């Protein structure tokens, strides 16, 4: 059988399915740009659901940043080449606002991006600074802040999430915190995984059974924390229902990735984007990207055969090593699709500092693609590589999203600017 | 704390544990201490090669013959720690033909079996060998698991003479009285507290640290050179045999299978600093490029870890090449230094550890007027439940046999179940309250797979919180220290798929859990 190539014509092709890629598609939809998004790894499933703007100054003074907006001002002075230093506070506000509005509209409710960072709970019993989070997680922050007595419930068979661990590490700062282990309704012996647990809780039968056990586990506490398993498609409803059945205030704590909050986002985008007129080709890697003067061609293959996308412009949001946007080789770091020049340490000997958990992060983390003020990648002469090519997200150089706790900030902020520039290009 | 014992052994490498077992079999009670843990020096930092002796036939006939005899003994007494892989010596285009020609003759002099193969026969045995192989010999090389060996020695000594092992116990100084050491003053490196150990005889089995330890007793007769070697572990097992380059010993000339992986090495760099031994990028690159001449796949394969060890070389004058220095061992009775109850055993290698232990134990037993002869070449080293978890590929078998669905797999790369962790924290040699994750990893396969512990470190810590083993921030600190420690082995080999692994690990450990920001607890270094 000869497979027929399907041809797609579009104005903007977004390559990447992490937070930056999805954010870019949202911004493009809001600007009524005809858009096609292609992504391979589903990197978005690695997110905890927390949207971090800026949690620590990078590289120093590494204080817990209460006020990320003031932090951005300081970042501009200390690190003008950091991608977040090149975006105005208003644009970043706008980016977070558009994304959370979109998510709210699509049924995954987020807290409003505020003026201060929230102290988000982690499965190890540590806290991390983040700007906004799913509403299913928000009561935990408030309970912690107000030192309400609360119980963390974990499950027999769900490894890597220990209520005892959360309590042991938070007890000094949260005296009324206790824990209780229960069995998940109708669970067979052996290991449990968050995703099937979350899917099970979409049915009333399982919620009712769980609710009975939660009431018992609460033992008089009003707040009850669970690993993030409250449904995939309607987490807010699942939480509301469980709260109604138990009379408790319930919140989620993220589990280790890949985890339910990310799966929620991925499945929601896969469902909503086509309804909004965006062409989404998920789970596929672009094999070839050819740039012409005023257009570009993307070649890939999906389950139905080869696909050829003709587009006026391209937004690269291909991520770093984990998502394949960058490749670390024996002789150096390369960009995968176009072999764009990569700003990087001189030799492999300089990639890493001596200590893994060095608070200042590793030089390799700052490697990436350099862009101009319109977020267009630069060639090795530091000139614009191509007028119709834009880049956003963790692929960009001069940032360490992990140490800075600024992953969503970079993803949303740079996608916002790149789409803005692409829109300008398309108008011409 | 104060400990009373007949013999204090300083250094928990294979030699120290071997001496411990040997003395225990003679009915002598010992105490073994190590500043870190078992096999944390050269005993753990090597290929895991049980030498047939062929490697040394050209330049150290005495060592070659010792290896021949000792490897035969070990194959009988500790078969559970040994895989009898056989070895090949191969020359590639450009290698010294004269050396290859003389090789069978050298082997014959050392009485080591050596069978000539055509390049084609060699490639049939090992399809990944280079097409440029011009000559090949088959020899009786094998592989050995030094960690299990040390654990079994300690467990056996515990059974036979109630001897005990104390990890992270560092010798600070000796108290001397009229030419006799009375007490060793030590520090518990975990708590910072002092421990005094009173013994009749003191044995320095400090390996590369033997010179420093001897000096603490005022003995200046031990003179060592330090040669650092770095090695790499590949994600897959590339060959079934040990593969040696058929040339005088050089960089990247040995590839040793170890269970499900292969170990490539080694380099040789003179060093003065014993305390921060870690691989460097140039050493790693040298191994990869040299190794690829024998096995081209070594240039493209995925590596999961690198590590280093220091060879203690006995200073004997002569040429400047460390590989030319003797690989033999030396036992110093220190009688010329006017100390009557102290001796030092150093030099040598993994394959000859038992013989080194025997000679040392002979001396010490004689000094204690104990005439029981050595039994370590005769008595099989019996298995111990808690020591079985270091064997590559064995965890899934034990897990499957236990047939308990609630016995969850904590390390998914190596299939280490929670029952293994429970068994180790409650009974493995050197177990204790609040054991570190490194100590658990040393006694199991946890963290040895492609993710290098980045997931199972988190899961094991959670499990230990569940078990009330950790009740405060200690578990977080242990996690952080474990990941920092594993990183020493991954930072030089993070290209290809390992870069993705590293990014995910950092995102979890630092971005989410914030292990880069946890406070240093008081009392820890």
């Amino acid at each position: 059988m000869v497979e027929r190539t399907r041809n797609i014509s579009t104005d903007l092709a977004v390559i990447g399915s992490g937070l930056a890629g999805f954010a870019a598609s949202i911004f493009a939809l809001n600007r009524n740009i005809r858009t096609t998004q292609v992504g391979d790894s589903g990197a978005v499933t690695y997110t905890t659901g927390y949207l971090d703007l800026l949690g620590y100054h990078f590289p120093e003074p590494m204080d817990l940043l209460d006020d990320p907006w003031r932090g951005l001002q300081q970042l501009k002075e200390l690190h003008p080449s950091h991608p977040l230093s090149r975006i105005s506070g208003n644009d970043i506000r706008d980016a977070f606002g558009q994304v959370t509005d979109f998510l709210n509209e699509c049924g995954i409710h987020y807290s409003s991006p505020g003026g201060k960072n929230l102290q988000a709970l982690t499965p190890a019993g540590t806290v991390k600074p983040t700007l906004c989070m799913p509403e299913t997680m928000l009561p935990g922050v408030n309970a912690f802040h107000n030192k309400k007595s609360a119980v963390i419930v974990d499950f027999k068979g769900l490894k890597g999430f220990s209520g005892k661990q959360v309590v042991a590490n938070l007890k000094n700062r949260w005296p009324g915190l206790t824990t209780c282990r229960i069995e998940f309704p109708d669970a067979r012996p052996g290991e449990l995984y968050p995703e099937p647990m979350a899917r099970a809780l979409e049915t009333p039968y399982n919620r009712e059974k769980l609710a009975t056990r939660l009431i018992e586990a609460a033992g008089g506490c009003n707040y009850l924390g669970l690993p993030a398993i409250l449904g995939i498609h309607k987490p807010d409803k699942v939480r509301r229902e469980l709260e109604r059945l138990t009379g408790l205030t319930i919140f989620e704590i993220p589990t280790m990735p890949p985890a339910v909050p990310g799966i929620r986002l991925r499945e929601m985008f896969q469902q909503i984007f086509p309804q909004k007129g965006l062409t989404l080709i998920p789970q596929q890697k672009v094999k070839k990207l050819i740039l012409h003067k005023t257009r570009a061609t993307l070649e890939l293959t999906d389950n139905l055969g080869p696909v050829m996308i003709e587009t006026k412009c391209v937004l690269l949001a291909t991520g770093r090593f984990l998502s394949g946007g960058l490749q670390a080789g024996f002789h150096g770091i390369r960009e995968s699709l176009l072999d764009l020049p990569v700003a990087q340490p001189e030799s492999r000997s300089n990639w890493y500092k001596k200590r893994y958990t060095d608070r200042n992060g590793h030089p390799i983390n700052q490697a990436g693609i350099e862009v101009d003020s319109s977020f267009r990648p630069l060639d090795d002469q530091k000139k614009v590589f191509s007028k119709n090519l834009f880049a956003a997200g963790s692929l960009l150089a001069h940032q360490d999203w992990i140490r800075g706790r600024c992953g969503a900030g970079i993803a949303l902020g740079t996608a916002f600017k790149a789409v803005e520039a692409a829109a300008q290009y398309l108008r011409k | 704390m104060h400990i009373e014992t007949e013999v204090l052994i300083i250094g928990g490498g294979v030699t120290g544990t071997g001496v411990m077992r040997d003395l225990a079999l003679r009915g002598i009670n010992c105490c073994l201490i190590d500043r870190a843990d078992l096999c944390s020096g050269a005993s753990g930092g090597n290929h895991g090669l049980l030498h047939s002796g062929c490697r040394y036939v050209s330049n150290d006939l005495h060592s070659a013959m010792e290896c021949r005899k000792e490897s035969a003994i070990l194959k009988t007494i500790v078969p559970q720690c040994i895989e009898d892989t056989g070895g090949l010596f191969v020359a590639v285009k450009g290698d010294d033909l004269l050396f290859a020609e003389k090789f069978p003759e050298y082997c014959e002099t050392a009485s080591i079996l050596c069978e000539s193969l055509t390049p084609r026969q060699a490639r049939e045995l090992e399809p990944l060998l280079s097409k440029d192989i011009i000559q090949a010999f088959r020899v009786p090389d094998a592989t050995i698991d030094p960690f299990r060996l040390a654990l079994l020695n300690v467990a056996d000594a515990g059974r036979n003479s109630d001897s005990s092992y104390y990890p992270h116990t560092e010798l600070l100084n000796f108290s001397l009285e009229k030419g006799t050491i009375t007490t060793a003053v030590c520090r518990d490196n975990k708590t910072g507290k002092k421990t005094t150990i009173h013994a009749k005889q003191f044995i320095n089995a400090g390996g590369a640290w033997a010179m420093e330890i001897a000096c603490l007793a005022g003995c200046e007769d031990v003179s060592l050179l330090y040669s650092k070697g770095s090695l790499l572990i590949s994600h897959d097992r590339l060959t079934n045999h040990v593969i040696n380059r058929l040339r005088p010993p050089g960089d990247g000339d040995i590839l040793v299978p170890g269970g499900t992986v292969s170990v490539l090495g080694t380099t040789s760099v003179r060093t003065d600093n014993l305390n921060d031994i870690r691989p460097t990028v140039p050493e790693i690159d040298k191994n990869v490029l040299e190794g690829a001449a024998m096995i081209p796949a070594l240039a493209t394969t995925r590596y999961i870890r690198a590590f280093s060890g220091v060879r203690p070389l006995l200073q004997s004058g002569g040429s400047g090449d460390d590989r030319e220095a003797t690989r033999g061992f030396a036992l110093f009775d220190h009688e010329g230094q006017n100390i009557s109850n102290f001796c030092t055993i150093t030099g040598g290698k993994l394959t000859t550890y038992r013989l080194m232990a025997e000679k040392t134990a002979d001396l010490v037993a004689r000094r204690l007027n104990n005439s029981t002869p050595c039994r370590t070449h005769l008595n099989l080293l019996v298995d111990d439940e808690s020591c079985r978890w270091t064997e590559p590929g064995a965890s899934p078998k034990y897990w499957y046999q236990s047939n308990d669905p609630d016995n969850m797999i904590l390390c998914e790369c190596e299939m280490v179940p929670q029952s293994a962790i429970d068994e180790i924290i409650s009974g493995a040699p050197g177990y204790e309250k609040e054991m570190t994750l490194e100590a658990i990893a040393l006694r199991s396969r946890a963290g040895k797979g492609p993710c290098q512990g980045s997931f199972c470190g988190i899961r094991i810590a959670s499990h230990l919180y569940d078990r009330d083993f950790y009740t405060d921030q200690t578990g977080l600190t242990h996690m952080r220290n474990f990941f920092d420690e594993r990183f020493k082995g991954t930072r030089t080999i993070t290209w290809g798929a390992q870069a993705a692994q590293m990014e995910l690990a950092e995102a979890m450990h630092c971005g989410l859990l914030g292990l880069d920001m946890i406070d240093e607890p008081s009392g820890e270094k």
Side-chain angles (χ1 to χ4, degrees):
Chain A
M1 192 180 83
V2 179
E3 288 180 315
R4 243 189 41 216
T5 302
R6 283 171 298 144
N7 289 296
I8 295 171
S9 170
T10 194
D11 289 343
L12 172 65
V14 175
I15 306 177
S17 65
L19 211 44
F22 282 114
S25 286
I26 291 171
F27 302 137
L29 276 173
N30 288 350
R31 289 174 178 274
N32 293 314
I33 298 172
R34 198 164 56 121
T35 304
T36 299
Q37 187 185 348
V38 190
D40 164 41
S41 69
V44 78
T45 56
Y46 286 108
T47 176
T48 51
Y50 294 151
L51 296 181
D52 306 346
L53 169 53
L54 183 62
Y56 296 108
H57 260 305
F58 184 82
E60 50 189 355
M62 298 308 261
D63 293 325
L64 195 70
L65 271 184
D66 257 354
D67 181 346
W69 305 100
R70 230 186 77 225
L72 285 173
Q73 288 307 317
Q74 291 164 335
L75 193 72
K76 272 193 174 71
E77 286 154 33
L78 288 166
H79 301 283
S81 60
H82 193 286
L84 281 175
S85 296
R86 306 171 65 176
I87 311 172
S88 74
N90 282 339
D91 282 346
I92 292 171
R93 258 189 208 97
D94 202 356
F96 271 83
Q98 285 192 33
V99 168
T100 50
D101 285 351
F102 186 92
L103 295 174
N104 290 341
E105 194 192 312
C106 298
I108 298 182
H109 288 93
Y110 263 74
S111 68
S112 306
K116 294 269 161 120
N117 272 331
L118 304 169
Q119 299 297 301
L121 303 174
T122 82
T126 51
V127 292
K128 66 167 278 176
T130 192
L131 187 67
C132 51
M133 63 174 67
E135 282 195 355
T136 54
M137 299 178 180
L138 195 59
V141 178
N142 299 330
F144 172 54
H145 184 77
N146 298 314
K147 313 279 181 267
K148 299 280 188 192
S149 64
V151 59
I152 306 296
V153 169
D154 64 9
F155 293 91
K156 181 173 175 280
L158 180 65
K159 62 192 178 187
F161 188 95
S162 158
K164 282 188 174 176
Q165 180 174 12
V166 175
V167 172
N169 286 296
L170 281 174
K171 64 184 178 192
N172 290 339
R173 288 184 284 170
W174 192 349
L177 192 65
T178 55
T179 183
C180 181
R181 173 156 295 188
I182 63 172
E183 290 194 23
F184 195 73
D186 300 335
R188 291 199 199 107
E191 293 186 13
L192 291 179
Y193 298 93
E195 186 178 343
M197 292 166 86
R199 293 195 195 277
L201 289 180
E202 306 226 304
T203 59
Y205 168 83
N206 289 319
R207 286 199 293 269
E208 279 157 26
K209 280 199 118 177
L210 179 64
T212 318
R213 295 176 193 192
L214 292 182
I215 293 169
E216 205 177 306
C221 289
N222 292 324
Y223 285 84
L224 186 142
L226 288 168
I229 54 162
L230 299 180
I232 298 283
H233 297 286
K234 294 193 165 101
D236 299 295
K237 183 187 166 198
V238 171
R239 176 172 150 252
R240 229 175 14 250
E241 283 296 303
L242 276 176
E243 289 193 332
R244 184 181 62 81
L245 291 165
T246 58
L248 302 164
T249 301
I250 290 175
F251 59 91
E252 290 184 311
I253 298 173
T255 56
M256 297 314 296
V260 164
I263 298 167
R264 283 175 190 151
L265 291 173
R266 188 184 67 196
E267 297 204 357
M268 186 275 284
F269 286 128
Q270 288 182 7
Q271 195 191 341
I272 298 286
F273 278 166
Q275 291 171 14
K276 301 234 173 204
L278 184 138
T279 308
L280 180 67
I281 307 176
Q283 312 294 329
Q284 302 303 334
K285 201 174 197 99
V286 174
K287 282 189 190 147
K288 207 166 176 187
L289 167 59
I290 306 159
L291 291 169
H292 312 285
K293 264 216 159 112
T294 56
R295 60 190 177 86
T297 313
L298 283 69
E299 290 174 19
L300 61 142
T301 307
D302 71 3
N303 298 336
L304 303 172
V307 182
M308 181 93 87
I309 301 171
E310 287 288 331
T311 182
K312 288 180 183 158
C313 58
V314 174
L315 196 159
L316 276 188
T318 44
R320 305 182 68 76
F321 308 108
L322 184 57
S323 306
L326 296 178
Q327 289 173 353
F330 193 68
H331 299 290
I333 301 165
R334 295 179 64 168
E335 188 277 323
S336 306
L337 270 177
L338 295 165
D339 207 7
L340 294 168
V342 176
Q344 59 184 292
E346 219 160 83
S347 88
R348 242 174 60 232
S349 297
N350 309 113
W351 280 5
Y352 290 99
K353 295 232 175 90
K354 219 165 168 186
R355 187 177 180 185
Y356 174 59
T357 52
D358 191 307
R359 288 187 178 186
N360 292 324
H362 303 289
I364 190 177
N365 299 357
Q366 304 260 342
I369 300 301
E370 295 188 310
V371 289
D372 75 349
S373 58
S374 299
F375 288 82
R376 290 178 297 190
L378 302 178
D379 64 14
D380 40 23
Q381 308 296 315
K382 307 271 176 200
K383 299 220 169 77
V384 170
F385 187 84
S386 178
K387 282 189 171 157
N388 59 349
L389 177 70
F390 305 88
S394 62
L395 174 69
L396 300 181
H398 310 303
Q399 51 83 20
D400 186 337
W401 69 271
I402 293 174
R403 300 306 155 113
R405 276 70 163 175
C406 57
I410 289 171
L412 272 52
T414 60
F416 184 85
K417 294 304 285 180
V419 171
E420 182 183 78
Q424 231 168 48
Y425 169 82
L426 288 169
R427 271 203 299 276
K428 276 178 192 166
Chain B
M1 191 167 71
H2 181 75
I3 297 166
E4 288 281 339
T5 181
E6 277 187 274
V7 179
L8 172 65
I9 305 162
I10 303 146
V14 282
T15 309
T17 65
V19 175
M20 187 189 192
R21 175 182 190 230
D22 195 319
L23 290 171
L25 283 172
R26 302 179 204 226
I28 297 167
N29 173 274
C30 319
C31 164
L32 173 72
I33 59 170
D34 195 280
R35 68 207 290 254
D37 203 346
L38 297 174
C39 296
S40 49
S43 296
N46 62 69
H47 274 112
L49 169 52
L50 188 67
H51 277 285
S52 60
C54 289
R55 184 77 270 172
Y56 304 111
V57 287
S58 67
N59 62 352
D60 190 347
L61 186 62
H62 183 73
S63 287
M65 291 169 75
E66 264 176 11
C67 284
R68 187 200 72 220
K69 286 183 208 148
E70 283 301 308
S71 63
I73 292 170
L74 293 180
K75 282 176 188 176
T76 317
I77 65 156
V78 280
Q80 67 270 48
C81 297
I82 292 172
E83 190 187 341
D84 207 347
T85 58
L88 298 179
F89 272 76
V90 297
V92 298
K93 252 181 229 165
D95 285 348
D96 179 7
L97 282 176
L98 201 64
F99 184 85
E101 252 169 54
K102 283 191 180 159
F103 187 74
E105 200 180 303
Y106 289 142
C107 290
E108 204 182 330
T109 315
S111 309
I112 303 170
L113 284 174
C114 157
E115 175 196 351
S116 177
L117 303 175
T118 63
R120 191 178 162 169
Q121 285 172 320
R123 281 171 49 82
E124 268 165 19
L125 284 177
E126 292 297 350
L128 289 183
L129 279 174
S130 165
K131 292 193 176 68
D132 291 338
I133 297 292
I134 49 172
Q135 190 136 26
F137 295 97
R138 180 148 58 176
V139 303
D141 282 342
T143 70
I144 185 162
D145 175 355
F147 294 97
R148 192 172 185 194
L149 183 61
L151 287 165
L152 287 175
N153 275 331
V154 172
D156 195 64
R159 272 190 303 269
N160 283 316
S161 69
D162 206 19
S163 294
S164 317
Y165 162 58
Y166 298 88
H168 50 81
T169 302
E170 181 166 5
L171 175 72
L172 296 181
N173 54 61
F174 291 112
S175 303
L176 283 114
E177 237 171 69
K178 296 176 197 151
T180 307
I181 300 176
T182 55
T183 311
V185 181
C186 307
R187 177 181 58 217
D188 182 328
N189 280 335
K190 215 163 146 189
T191 61
K193 286 186 182 141
K194 282 231 164 100
T195 301
T196 50
I197 304 171
H198 183 253
K200 292 178 189 149
Q201 290 287 325
F202 293 80
I203 301 173
N204 170 9
W209 287 267
M211 188 159 72
E212 291 178 6
I213 293 168
C215 285
L216 290 178
C219 298
E220 286 166 5
D221 49 346
V222 180
S223 179
L224 295 177
L225 293 173
Y226 307 128
S227 163
K228 174 192 172 201
S230 291
L231 306 93
L232 295 91
I233 305 175
S234 60
H235 177 268
D236 299 301
R237 178 169 173 147
L238 298 172
T239 63
N240 286 318
H241 292 77
V242 173
I243 310 291
N244 300 268
R245 187 84 169 260
L246 184 55
R247 66 175 183 192
D251 290 339
D253 60 357
I254 306 182
L255 181 71
V256 179
T260 54
V261 302
S262 287
V263 182
L264 170 65
T266 163
T267 47
S268 174
V269 181
R270 186 73 66 83
T271 181
D272 295 323
N273 179 10
L274 286 180
N275 295 328
D276 190 23
I277 294 299
R278 52 172 84 206
T280 64
V281 168
E283 289 172 316
I284 292 315
D285 291 3
K286 183 91 194 199
N287 274 323
V288 170
L289 296 175
E290 289 289 339
M294 298 191 295
I295 311 272
L298 287 170
T300 51
T301 196
R302 176 178 178 183
Y303 293 96
I304 57 174
R305 180 171 185 77
F307 60 98
S308 299
V310 174
R311 312 170 182 94
L313 300 176
L314 296 159
Q315 208 161 3
S316 56
S319 82
D321 184 350
D322 289 348
R323 285 204 171 85
E324 294 295 318
T326 175
R327 302 306 307 280
F329 61 86
L331 174 64
F332 299 85
D333 61 19
H334 298 308
E335 274 158 25
Q337 306 283 309
N338 299 319
I339 295 187
S340 59
N341 64 340
F342 182 50
C343 64
T344 294
I345 177 80
T346 187
K349 52 188 134 332
L350 177 55
T351 304
T352 57
Y353 93 93
R354 193 211 59 84
L355 181 63
M356 296 162 69
E358 177 181 339
K359 298 286 180 207
T360 312
D362 281 348
L363 170 70
V364 171
R366 196 169 63 238
R367 283 174 171 178
L368 289 168
N369 296 320
N370 177 313
S371 56
T372 317
C374 176
R375 302 279 310 164
T376 57
H377 56 302
L378 301 170
N379 290 24
L380 297 191
L381 191 43
V382 292
D383 251 328
D384 187 289
E385 288 267 291
S386 65
C387 305
R388 62 183 177 158
W389 297 103
T390 63
E391 184 185 344
S395 299
K397 191 175 70 192
Y398 301 135
W399 176 75
Y400 190 76
Q401 281 165 356
S402 81
N403 192 24
D404 173 8
D406 286 332
N407 183 15
M408 290 187 285
I409 299 285
L410 297 180
C411 167
E412 291 179 350
C413 300
E414 293 282 332
M415 300 273 287
V416 182
Q418 63 186 36
S419 63
I421 306 303
D422 292 340
E423 214 166 271
I424 288 164
I425 61 174
S426 63
Y431 78 94
E432 58 191 325
K433 196 177 168 289
E434 283 191 357
M435 226 162 143
T436 63
L437 295 178
E438 292 102 292
I440 292 168
L442 189 147
R443 289 158 177 78
S444 68
R445 292 290 301 168
K448 308 287 197 297
C451 93
Q452 285 292 298
S454 54
F455 281 92
C456 67
I458 296 171
R459 291 197 202 104
I460 293 171
S462 290
H463 174 68
L464 294 176
Y465 274 105
D466 280 345
R467 286 277 189 265
D468 297 316
F469 189 76
Y470 295 133
T471 53
D472 56 21
Q473 263 215 21
T474 307
L476 290 186
T477 316
H478 283 188
M479 254 158 82
R480 193 264 321 271
N481 295 348
F482 176 62
F483 298 136
D484 277 343
E485 187 60 33
R486 297 309 283 171
F487 180 69
K488 283 185 192 167
T490 53
R491 69 186 285 278
T492 54
I493 51 101
T494 306
W495 67 85
Q498 290 309 109
Q501 194 76 58
M502 185 72 90
E503 188 184 356
L504 179 58
E506 272 194 81
M508 289 193 300
H509 301 151
C510 300
L512 174 58
L513 303 183
L515 296 181
D516 53 338
M517 301 304 284
I518 59 172
D519 299 326
E520 300 289 326
S522 51
E524 296 238 356
K525 283 192 293 184

